[in-house]
């Protein structure tokens, strides 16, 4: 075999063993995933009738904290009376997010659009209208990529087996005809969503209730990709997705999956819950974000609008704070790749796409100086991102006879510090080379 052939066979094998996340796509996968890899920040929106009482989305009746009937009565309070989709999209854009993912239909089965497949939808709620379309339009106008969250389970649908954790309507393996009705319903809804919105990304959820075969996951993936060959699918299509979706927990070590996204709430709830005041501070969220991108991932940060369509003040404040910080530090964020492995710098870092600039995110007050280890390159210039101040540095512990890279001490005076998180650009001669 020629070298060239070895190379392509190698690449093909690599793409086959890749993530364990499902179908080997084509060698064009990297191209298809590029915008997602570069985007870094997405905003998740959990909006549904659960915001009326401010209770757990869908789970509150599934876990039998209230009856299914009482849960569904919330449709009468879902007014969307102050809903301003253009303002949502503008705020989300301002945060620095490049994409948005909205719950088109959660496990409770309430569809935000005028679904042909289900009467349990926004038109039949107090809102009396489709509330999804205007948001998608506004988000597209802002240049945001569109992600649609869609729950595979629908615990309200009469042909779905599970109603609550204790109430089972039927056995999907025994009554295959009834299950088939459910499959047609859910796949029909996907067709509705695809043809109305042409999303860039599908965000499935709830696949744990049945197997890939039962969901017909392979078929669904094929169908979505044939409708849009560039579409990206999250991992929760029973092993038939493109990227991993760790939830809430910040990975301590760099995940092995080449593409991944941490989905996270600002407080402890996905939907609006006024009693949940356990908010992370903007600074904490920025630090988490830096850790995520330092490991090459994306952050999908959640907001939970109220039933009247307004975004809680604490949440819009976080989006504005994120916006100030992402705007100032954009060169260190978008299009970057994962930074240094542990041990080289005490904090998160990213690397520019060309591999020639290291971005160091300062997790602590630097007390005048930071230390970088094991970088073999000569340094062209060190400066403060979004500020431009040139910083002095010294290389220590590098006698001429040693092969060690030495320690690089960088002076960071207090007056250059960012109120949330300072970022230092280390411009290298050539591509990063580590000891
Ligand atoms: C979980 C929950 C769901 C939530 C989702 C967001 O799967 O079931 O309520 O919407 O996480 O990632």
């Amino acid at each position: 075999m020629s070298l060239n052939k070895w190379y392509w066979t190698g690449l093909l094998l690599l793409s086959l063993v890749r993530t364990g996340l499902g179908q080997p796509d084509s060698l064009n996968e990297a191209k298809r995933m590029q915008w997602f890899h570069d985007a870094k920040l997405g905003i998740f929106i959990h909006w549904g009738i659960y915001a009326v009482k401010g209770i757990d989305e869908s789970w509150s009746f599934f876990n039998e904290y209230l009856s299914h009937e009482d849960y569904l009565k919330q449709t009468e309070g879902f007014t969307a009376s102050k809903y301003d989709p253009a303002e949502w999209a503008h705020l989300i854009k301002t945060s620095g997010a490049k994409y948005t993912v909205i719950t088109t239909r959660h496990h409770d089965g309430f569809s935000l659009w005028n679904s042909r497949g289900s009467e349990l939808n926004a038109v039949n709620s107090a809102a009396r209208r489709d509330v999804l379309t205007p948001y998608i339009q506004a988000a597209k106008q802002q240049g945001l990529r569109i992600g649609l969250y869609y729950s595979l389970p629908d615990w309200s649908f009469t042909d779905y087996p599970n109603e609550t954790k204790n109430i089972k309507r039927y056995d999907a393996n025994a009554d295959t005809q009834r299950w088939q009705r459910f499959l047609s319903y859910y796949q029909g809804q996907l067709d509705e969503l695809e043809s109305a919105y042409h999303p860039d990304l599908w965000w499935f959820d709830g696949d744990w209730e049945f197997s890939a075969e039962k969901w017909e996951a392979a078929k669904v993936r094929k169908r979505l990709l044939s409708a849009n060959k560039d579409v990206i699918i999250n991992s929760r299509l029973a092993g038939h997705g493109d990227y991993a979706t760790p939830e809430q927990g910040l990975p301590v070590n760099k995940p092995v999956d080449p593409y991944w996204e941490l989905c996270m709430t600002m407080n402890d709830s996905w939907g609006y819950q006024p009693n949940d005041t356990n908010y992370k501070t903007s600074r904490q969220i920025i630090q988490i974000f830096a850790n995520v991108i330092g490991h090459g991932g994306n952050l999908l940060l959640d907001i939970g609008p109220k039933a009247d369509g307004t975004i809680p003040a604490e949440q819009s404040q976080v989006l504005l704070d994120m916006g100030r910080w992402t705007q100032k530090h954009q060169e260190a964020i978008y299009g970057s790749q994962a930074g240094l492995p542990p041990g080289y710098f005490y904090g998160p870092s990213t690397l520019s796409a060309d591999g020639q600039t290291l971005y160091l995110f300062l997790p602590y007050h630097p007390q005048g100086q930071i230390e970088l280890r094991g970088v073999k390159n000569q340094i062209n210039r060190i400066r403060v991102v979004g500020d431009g101040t040139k910083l002095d540095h010294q290389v220590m512990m590098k006698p001429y006879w040693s092969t060690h890279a030495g320690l690089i001490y960088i002076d960071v005076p207090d007056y250059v510090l960012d109120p949330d998180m300072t970022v230092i650009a280390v411009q290298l001669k050539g591509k990063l080379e580590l000891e």
Side-chain angles (χ1 to χ4, degrees), residues 44 46 57 59 106-107 149 203 205 208 236 247 263 270:
F44 210 174
H46 274 70
E57 68 290 341
W59 291 99
H106 205 262
H107 319 319
Y149 169 107
W203 214 101
D205 197 17
W208 64 82
R236 301 186 187 181
E247 179 169 325
C263 56
W270 296 103

Side-chain angles (χ1 to χ4, degrees), residues 16-31:
L16 288 173
V17 294
R18 203 178 36 105
T19 62
L21 271 179
Q23 307 299 6
D25 267 339
S26 61
L27 298 174
N28 284 330
E29 168 170 317
K31 217 173 125 209

Side-chain angles (χ1 to χ4, degrees), residues 41-230:
L41 182 63
I43 300 298
F44 210 174
I45 304 173
H46 274 70
W47 198 33
I49 57 173
Y50 39 82
V52 173
K53 287 185 199 277
I55 53 180
D56 287 345
E57 68 290 341
S58 310
W59 291 99
S60 49
F61 76 88
F62 187 85
N63 286 330
E64 304 180 350
Y65 304 140
L66 87 171
S67 70
H68 190 184
E69 197 190 337
D70 283 342
Y71 181 91
L72 290 179
K73 280 198 189 127
Q74 291 178 108
T75 48
E76 294 159 21
F78 188 74
T79 63
S81 58
K82 296 185 185 153
Y83 174 42
D84 185 344
E87 195 183 301
W88 283 22
H90 181 255
L91 183 62
I92 288 170
K93 177 77 175 185
T94 307
S95 74
K98 302 292 183 196
Y99 66 108
T100 175
V101 179
I102 182 166
T103 50
T104 62
R105 203 212 70 199
H106 205 262
H107 319 319
D108 61 11
F110 180 75
S111 299
L112 291 186
W113 79 104
N114 187 7
S115 174
R116 284 191 301 278
S118 166
E119 303 220 314
L120 182 55
N121 73 50
V123 178
N124 297 319
S125 74
R128 298 259 149 249
R129 63 193 193 280
D130 164 3
V131 292
L132 182 60
T133 305
Y135 175 64
I136 303 293
Q137 280 168 354
K140 283 186 179 173
Q141 261 164 30
Q142 289 288 348
L144 294 163
R145 294 273 187 166
I146 305 299
L148 303 182
Y149 169 107
Y150 185 84
S151 162
L152 296 166
D154 178 340
W155 297 327
S156 295
F157 195 73
T158 45
D159 286 320
Y160 188 74
N162 306 333
E163 178 172 343
T164 72
K165 63 177 181 182
N166 293 311
I167 305 174
K168 306 282 168 245
R169 297 188 178 94
Y170 70 101
D171 175 354
N173 290 319
D175 193 342
T176 49
Q177 269 193 345
R178 200 167 169 191
W179 175 252
Q180 192 52 54
R181 285 206 292 276
F182 172 72
L183 290 181
S184 315
Y185 154 66
Y186 108 70
Q187 293 170 15
Q189 279 205 318
L190 293 182
D191 288 345
E192 289 181 31
L193 290 167
E194 162 53 41
S195 60
Y197 309 115
H198 311 298
D200 301 292
L201 186 152
W202 288 96
W203 214 101
F204 288 103
D205 197 17
D207 59 352
W208 64 82
E209 293 213 320
F210 290 98
S211 65
E213 292 70 33
K214 274 248 146 317
W215 294 121
E216 298 186 335
K219 175 181 142 191
V220 166
R221 178 184 172 88
K222 217 170 145 196
R223 191 139 127 190
L224 297 175
L225 275 159
S226 68
N228 173 3
K229 65 174 178 32
D230 296 324

Side-chain angles (χ1 to χ4, degrees), residues 367-422:
Q367 311 286 358
Q369 210 168 52
I370 56 170
E371 182 191 316
L372 179 63
R373 301 174 183 168
V375 172
K376 287 173 149 177
N377 309 61
Q378 290 193 357
I379 287 167
N380 272 340
R381 186 185 190 86
I382 303 183
R383 61 184 163 80
V384 181
V385 175
D387 163 309
T389 309
K390 183 178 180 241
L391 300 178
D392 290 333
H393 75 279
Q394 278 176 297
V395 181
M396 310 289 268
M397 306 273 290
K398 197 185 177 192
Y400 72 90
W401 42 264
S402 167
T403 52
H404 284 293
L407 306 179
I408 302 169
Y409 289 104
I410 304 168
D411 293 338
V412 185
D414 277 8
Y415 62 82
V416 304
L417 296 181
D418 181 86
D420 290 318
M421 198 178 204
T422 311

